[in-house]
Amino acid sequence: MKRKLALAICGVFLVTGLIRVGVGTIVISQLTGWWQLGGEAALAVAETRQFIGDASTNLVGFTPFSYFAFLLFMGAIVSAGAIGQMWRKSWGLAMIGTYLCCQAFLFLNFMTINPKIGLLALALLLALILAWANKDSAPGREPSPL
């Protein structure tokens, strides 16, 4: 049962990461003029430009491009981490932890708290459950990938 729970959580992290990678790629393409998709991509660019422009604090100096590149990076590491945890590799959980740190860093960078903090808390809870569910019960034995 623990293994099925771990795989389900890995699936959530993998889907989340792939969505971030896809959206990041689309919006960066919109920003750079590679594709002009309009619609949601254009709206995301406009809203992000306004958010970054209006931010009273931007510690690292994110531009819309670097912000979406950072989101794409976050998607890549959480996807890789989910795959690693599916194989019960310790580096997978470390990558998911890095993703959580990156998410928290965004709140610190802009010195703002918004409703997305709830998603960070949920992701942290899922990561803790994943660590428990993927822990091998027999010490000294390599866990089976299945």
Side-chain angles (χ1 to χ4, degrees):
M1 182 65 182
K2 283 172 54 173
R3 184 64 184 146
K4 288 179 184 178
L5 178 61
L7 289 172
I9 292 171
C10 287
V12 169
F13 279 126
L14 181 60
V15 168
T16 299
L18 293 176
I19 289 170
R20 279 188 179 272
V21 168
V23 169
T25 301
I26 289 169
V27 176
I28 287 172
S29 298
Q30 179 81 22
L31 269 168
T32 58
W34 295 336
W35 299 323
Q36 292 301 316
L37 302 173
E40 293 291 323
L43 183 61
V45 168
E47 288 176 349
T48 303
R49 279 188 175 133
Q50 181 178 356
F51 172 75
I52 289 174
D54 293 346
S56 60
T57 305
N58 184 353
L59 298 175
V60 299
F62 275 119
T63 64
F65 180 87
S66 62
Y67 176 78
F68 284 110
F70 189 71
L71 294 182
L72 194 149
F73 165 75
M74 288 172 58
I77 62 172
V78 76
S79 296
I83 291 168
Q85 273 295 279
M86 285 179 183
W87 296 335
R88 291 185 175 180
K89 301 295 183 186
S90 60
W91 56 262
L93 197 56
M95 292 185 89
I96 291 171
T98 302
Y99 164 78
L100 294 171
C101 289
C102 289
Q103 190 75 20
F105 169 75
L106 287 175
F107 289 109
L108 287 172
N109 180 70
F110 292 109
M111 295 290 181
T112 185
I113 300 294
N114 60 38
K116 291 180 185 175
I117 194 114
L119 294 174
L120 174 59
L122 177 61
L124 179 59
L125 177 64
L126 289 176
L128 291 172
I129 293 169
L130 180 61
W132 166 79
N134 260 350
K135 191 193 302 188
D136 189 24
S137 58
R141 197 181 103 213
E142 184 68 27
S144 166
L146 302 174

